[in-house]
């Protein structure tokens, strides 16, 4: 008799822990397959430290194959799920399709960015839920400070030194706190930047920062932010975003090139595609995490509306804390349904209580209330970092080493140029993947806040935008961080916009359309070996563009024959042609789709 087949969709906090628990409970008696777009688990609570240059990107990732040795990893994204045939149709990173059969299915697809109907936000803002977005923001902050320092126009310099974060929940608060320290350090690092004063604004429609937390934690965070120089504006949001800045709901127009969107999330669209009963986009499940009428299907994390047994009539919020704990229960219940642990009679309902909250405010500042004990300052910072080390499934020594080095050495203020503006669009169903320039997945769009102007690079640049986002739910066993917890404390919950605050928006790219012989904006991606500026990537435009020797998307769009490989360049294909069609040459064509 063949062994039962278990397919887990998603390796966020819920999916990763479900796979780990199942591998232990099944003890080799089942074939466990984990379907995920990336080969790693992402510890999202530490992403703000990646964006601030404290941690290297790999520190917050845990290899799936290395940590889940009894689980088969399949790289790809779930497309259609045939519940009657018990098959999952998926597409791998290179576009090949396939199917996975199952006897038990665990849906842990997570969530994606939630967009509000605000003009210009989708075009001119970026989220903050994935590693590519964090890397992009770090490069973007560095670039804006460098461009501001070398600029001659005072208005332009001020705009580049202004950074707007929307959403004062966990993510927005931590990004603003860490970002202000980072840009201040960039200014102090060079004599030519003397006199520059980076300006940070944190906006939210709520009456206070961290509205979902205890008032004392909120007051601590508010005080630290204001003392650091962050302009905290409550009951204020963005009315419209443009290429030159943002119009606030109080009527003020803020000149800026940076808009970070940390307002909320929505369940992954995969949940809605199943045609099953939903609760605000989440699959309705029983307390045992089984889908009603489909006992072979389990759902957990942000994609599932799990009854809150501690608050009858309500559902558990979309937080990492609940996702992490639900993943464990899902793994145990799937194993039980296969006969391990008492069979169906051994299924147990999901119950959980928070043990506290921690909020990292950068430096030696934090706010925490473990087991109800309110802490602030260095003591809270120590508890917060200790919690993260304990909660991480791996890389503890490396993370601690990076923290130690950051305490004694200056941060490296360099742009790596690995992620471009157009490759991390806000409006996408798969934020964990940076978009590749294959001429099909990207179209030019209006350059918004964060875009480099023609004056910053060579003459004639047109705009490129990318929208992309992440779907991992996030939590760990202990404290909750980033609206997502871990079996204990809560740290990154929801913001006042009514959704989980796990997004941020960064910036959009601008470059004037033209042939591959021109220098585009630093935001462009793809490199050409023959280009005079090889360190900056070239655009992968159309099918017939002047890109002799253009490599495949996997190679980062590097053209062997380009004369200036260090500077990104436009190709003269259809995309460039569309940019030329705009009346003012600004390239305001919208992107086609999420995938």
């Amino acid at each position: 008799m063949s062994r039962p087949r278990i397919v887990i969709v998603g390796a966020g906090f819920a999916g990763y822990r479900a796979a780990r628990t199942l591998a232990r409970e099944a003890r080799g008696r089942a074939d466990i397959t984990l379907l995920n777009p990336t080969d790693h688990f992402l510890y999202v609570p530490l992403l703000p430290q990646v964006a601030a240059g404290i941690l290297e990107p790999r520190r917050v990732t845990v290899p799936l194959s290395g940590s889940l040795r009894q689980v088969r990893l399949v790289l790809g994204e779930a497309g259609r799920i045939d519940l009657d045939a018990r098959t999952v149709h998926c597409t791998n990173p290179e576009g090949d399709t396939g199917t996975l059969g199952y006897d038990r299915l665990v849906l842990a697809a997570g969530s994606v960015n939630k967009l509000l109907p605000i003009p210009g936000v989708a075009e001119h803002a970026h989220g903050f839920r994935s590693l590519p977005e964090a890397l992009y923001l770090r490069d973007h902050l560095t670039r804006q400070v460098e461009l501001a320092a070398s600029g001659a126009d005072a208005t332009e310099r001020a705009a580049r030194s202004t950074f707007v974060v929307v959403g004062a929940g966990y993510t927005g608060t931590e990004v603003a706190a860490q970002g202000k320290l980072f840009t201040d350090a960039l200014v102090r690092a060079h004599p030519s930047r003397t006199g520059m004063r980076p300006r940070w604004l944190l906006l939210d429609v709520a009456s206070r920062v961290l509205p979902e937390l205890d008032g004392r934690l909120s007051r601590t965070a508010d005080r630290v932010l204001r003392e650091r120089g962050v302009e905290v504006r409550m009951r204020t949001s963005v009315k419209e975003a443009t290429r030159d800045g943002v119009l606030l709901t109080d009527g003020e127009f803020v000149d800026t090139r940076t808009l970070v969107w940390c307002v909320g999330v929505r369940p992954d669209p995969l949940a809605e595609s199943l045609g099953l009963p939903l609760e605000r986009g989440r699959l309705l499940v029983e307390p045992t995490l089984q889908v009603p009428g489909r006992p072979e299907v389990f759902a957990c994390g942000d994609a599932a509306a799990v009854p809150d047994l501690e608050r009858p009539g309500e559902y558990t919020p979309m937080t990492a804390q609940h996702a992490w704990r639900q993943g464990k229960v899902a793994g145990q219940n799937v194993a039980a349904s296969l006969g391990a642990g008492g069979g169906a009679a051994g299924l147990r309902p999901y119950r959980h209580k928070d043990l506290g909250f921690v909020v990292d405010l950068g430096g030696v500042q934090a706010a925490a209330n473990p087991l109800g004990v309110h802490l602030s300052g260095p003591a809270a910072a120590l508890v917060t970092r200790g919690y993260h080390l304990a909660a991480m499934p791996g890389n503890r020594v490396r993370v601690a080493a990076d923290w130690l080095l950051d305490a004694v050495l200056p941060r490296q203020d360099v742009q790596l140029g690995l992620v471009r503006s157009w490759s991390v669009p806000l409006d996408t169903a798969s934020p964990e993947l940076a978009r590749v320039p294959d001429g099909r997945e990207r179209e030019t769009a209006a350059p918004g806040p964060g875009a480099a102007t023609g004056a910053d690079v060579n003459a004639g640049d047109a705009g490129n935008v990318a929208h992309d986002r992440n779907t991992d739910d996030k939590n760990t066993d202990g404290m909750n961080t980033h609206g997502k917890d871990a079996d204990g404390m809560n740290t990154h919950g929801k913001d006042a916009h009514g959704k989980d605050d796990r997004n941020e928006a960064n910036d959009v790219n601008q470059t004037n359309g033209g042939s591959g012989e021109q220098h585009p904006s630093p935001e462009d991606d793809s490199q050409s070996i023959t280009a005079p500026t090889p360190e900056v990537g070239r655009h992968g435009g159309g099918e017939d563009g002047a890109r002799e020797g253009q490599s495949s998307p996997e190679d980062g769009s590097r053209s062997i024959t380009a004369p200036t490989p260090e500077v990104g360049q436009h190709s003269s294909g259809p995309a460039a042609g569309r940019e030329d069609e705009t009346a003012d040459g600004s390239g305001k064509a919208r992107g086609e789709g999420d995938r």
Side-chain angles (χ1 to χ4, degrees):
M1 180 177 180
S2 62
R3 296 189 301 178
R5 301 164 300 169
I6 303 170
V7 173
I8 302 172
V9 178
F13 279 85
Y16 179 84
R17 196 167 192 199
R20 194 172 71 174
T21 302
L22 264 170
R24 182 180 64 250
E25 297 284 339
R27 298 178 182 177
R29 294 191 296 268
D31 291 328
I32 306 171
T33 299
L34 178 60
L35 175 65
N36 197 59
T38 65
D39 64 355
H40 60 266
F41 161 80
L42 178 65
Y43 189 75
V44 177
L46 291 181
L47 276 183
Q49 295 192 26
V50 173
I54 299 173
L55 295 176
E56 288 303 306
R58 287 184 297 175
R59 304 294 187 258
V60 298
T61 64
V62 177
L64 296 177
S65 296
S67 58
L68 301 173
R69 297 186 180 277
Q70 298 180 21
V71 176
R72 173 192 174 211
L73 171 64
V74 174
L75 287 179
E77 294 184 90
R80 181 173 62 89
I81 297 179
D82 189 332
L83 297 176
D84 295 326
R86 296 192 179 188
T87 56
V88 177
H89 297 259
C90 56
T91 304
N92 73 14
E94 295 185 348
D96 300 325
T97 60
T99 59
L100 298 172
Y102 66 84
D103 298 300
R104 296 291 185 275
L105 175 65
V106 179
L107 291 173
S111 56
V112 298
N113 288 330
K114 174 69 174 181
L115 290 178
L116 299 180
I118 300 175
V121 167
E123 296 83 358
H124 305 310
H126 287 272
F128 195 82
R129 293 175 42 77
S130 67
L131 196 55
E133 289 171 327
L135 288 173
Y136 171 75
L137 181 58
R138 183 171 71 176
D139 273 8
H140 172 71
L141 296 179
T142 304
R143 177 169 54 253
Q144 295 310 306
V145 171
E146 291 172 345
L147 292 174
S150 62
D153 182 76
T155 301
E156 183 71 14
R157 293 182 64 181
R160 292 197 178 281
S161 300
T162 300
F163 310 93
V164 178
V165 179
V166 184
Y170 278 105
T171 302
T173 298
E174 291 196 352
V175 167
Q178 295 281 8
K180 185 63 167 66
L181 290 178
F182 181 51
T183 53
D184 286 349
L186 293 177
V187 168
R188 291 193 302 267
H190 201 282
S192 67
R193 301 169 187 171
T194 302
M196 288 181 57
R197 293 187 176 181
R199 180 190 181 194
W200 282 78
L201 288 80
L202 178 62
L203 315 176
D204 203 301
V205 296
S207 59
R208 60 184 176 91
V209 299
L210 302 173
E212 297 297 318
L213 301 190
D214 180 87
R216 289 176 297 178
L217 295 179
S218 176
R219 288 190 293 272
T220 297
D222 186 274
R223 173 180 55 80
V224 171
L225 290 171
R226 293 179 188 274
E227 290 177 351
R228 194 167 290 170
V230 177
E231 297 180 33
V232 180
R233 299 194 182 184
M234 296 294 96
R235 303 187 188 279
T236 305
S237 189
V238 172
K239 185 176 182 180
E240 181 180 4
T242 71
R243 59 181 295 173
D244 297 317
V246 293
L247 176 64
L248 306 185
T249 53
D250 61 7
E252 179 184 355
F253 186 85
V254 178
D255 293 321
T256 182
R257 300 293 181 270
T258 306
L259 180 58
V260 185
W261 191 254
C262 309
V263 169
V265 296
R266 61 186 173 89
D268 190 283
L270 180 65
E272 186 176 358
S273 70
L274 298 177
L276 297 173
L278 302 173
E279 166 63 27
R280 296 186 178 182
R282 295 194 287 170
L283 285 173
L284 281 170
V285 299
E286 299 171 350
T288 57
L289 306 182
Q290 289 174 299
V291 174
R294 296 282 180 177
E296 77 281 2
V297 179
F298 295 74
C300 52
D302 289 356
V306 182
D308 192 338
L309 300 183
E310 302 297 325
R311 300 185 179 112
E314 298 184 16
Y315 298 94
T316 58
M318 297 165 64
T319 69
Q321 174 183 25
H322 290 291
W324 186 252
R325 291 298 302 273
Q326 288 168 11
K328 179 180 180 179
V329 173
Q332 293 173 334
N333 285 349
V334 169
S337 72
L338 295 172
L347 272 62
R348 68 186 185 91
Y350 171 74
R351 290 181 179 273
H352 176 67
K353 292 183 179 180
D354 292 331
L355 299 180
F357 303 85
V358 297
V359 183
D360 187 359
L361 299 175
V364 295
Q365 296 294 332
N369 61 351
L371 301 176
V373 179
H374 180 71
L375 300 173
S376 62
L382 183 63
V383 169
T384 299
R385 292 200 168 185
Y387 161 71
H388 285 310
L389 287 180
M392 289 191 68
N395 291 345
R396 296 184 181 93
V397 174
R398 290 185 173 94
V399 169
D402 274 6
W403 285 341
L404 177 61
L405 292 175
D406 181 69
V408 298
L409 297 175
R411 298 179 198 176
Q412 293 179 290
D413 53 342
V414 296
Q415 302 177 54
L416 298 180
L418 300 177
V419 181
R420 303 299 178 180
S421 171
W422 57 263
S423 65
V424 284
L426 181 61
D427 188 11
T428 179
S430 53
E432 66 277 4
L433 296 176
R435 187 166 301 187
V436 296
D438 63 357
R440 299 187 307 273
E441 300 182 18
R442 176 175 59 87
E443 288 212 4
T444 58
T453 64
D456 301 326
V457 289
N458 286 356
D461 284 327
N464 275 324
V465 165
H467 316 337
D468 201 72
R469 256 179 292 139
N470 178 7
T471 63
D472 282 356
D473 37 9
K474 314 146 191 184
N475 60 13
T476 59
D477 248 300
M479 300 184 180
N480 196 11
T481 78
H482 283 173
K484 315 137 199 199
D485 91 9
D487 268 357
M489 295 194 171
N490 205 351
T491 77
H492 279 185
K494 302 177 177 178
D495 79 348
H497 288 80
K499 314 287 189 305
D500 279 20
D501 73 324
R502 281 178 273 176
N503 307 351
E504 291 152 357
N506 298 349
D507 175 356
V508 185
N509 174 35
Q510 158 188 355
T511 57
N512 273 338
S515 72
E517 301 301 320
Q518 296 179 347
H519 293 217
S521 143
E523 306 266 2
D524 300 346
D525 187 350
S526 64
Q527 300 172 343
S528 167
I529 292 184
T530 61
T533 51
E535 64 275 7
V536 177
R538 168 186 305 230
H539 280 292
E543 301 168 356
D544 58 348
R547 296 182 296 162
E548 299 177 18
Q550 176 69 41
S551 65
S552 69
E554 297 84 37
D555 296 329
S557 305
R558 293 170 293 184
S559 173
I560 294 180
T561 61
T564 54
E566 73 278 5
V567 175
Q569 302 188 9
H570 289 289
S571 62
S572 57
R578 281 188 292 273
E579 293 171 355
D580 294 337
E581 291 171 3
T582 61
D584 58 357
S586 61
K588 294 185 179 180
R590 288 292 306 276
E592 290 178 349
D594 291 336
R595 305 194 184 198

